[in-house]
Amino acid sequence: MIKEDVGTEVYKTWSNAQRREEIAKLVQGYRSGLPASIMCKISDSIAGNRKRARKYLHEMLTPEERQIAVDSETGEMMIFVRGYML
């Protein structure tokens, strides 16, 4: 098991409420300056997959915030963030 897998294994044991709470903390971090790409990547790990991460992020961020997140990235990272935000 590599280091990246350790968190993923722990997150699998969490309830949906715990996942939502942790992703909400990431959203607050994003609002305080955390890069959107990091928020998306960690949200994916916590949620268990991109589809669920996307659902949480759509519930917690306004459409304007999601568009700003996409616009804040460039190149491949913009494409990556767009997959979660739009």
Side-chain angles (χ1 to χ4, degrees):
M1 179 184 310
I2 60 173
K3 287 182 183 181
E4 292 177 16
D5 293 335
V6 174
T8 303
E9 291 301 315
V10 171
Y11 301 143
K12 287 179 183 179
T13 66
W14 288 6
S15 69
N16 286 334
Q18 286 175 295
R19 290 180 180 144
R20 182 176 181 73
E21 184 178 311
E22 288 304 309
I23 292 172
K25 290 176 188 176
L26 286 171
V27 168
Q28 289 300 73
Y30 164 73
R31 289 176 175 148
S32 297
L34 180 72
S37 57
I38 293 174
M39 175 183 62
C40 292
K41 177 62 179 157
I42 297 173
S43 294
D44 189 322
S45 294
I46 291 171
N49 61 51
R50 186 175 125 187
K51 183 178 179 180
R52 274 192 245 146
R54 189 175 191 275
K55 178 182 177 284
Y56 285 123
L57 293 171
H58 276 241
E59 290 173 0
M60 296 177 194
L61 294 163
T62 66
E64 294 81 18
E65 287 176 310
R66 295 195 314 267
Q67 185 62 56
I68 290 168
V70 171
D71 294 342
S72 71
E73 301 289 342
T74 60
E76 289 184 29
M77 292 315 295
M78 178 186 279
I79 295 166
F80 176 76
V81 171
R82 185 182 297 146
Y84 290 86
M85 298 293 168
L86 302 179

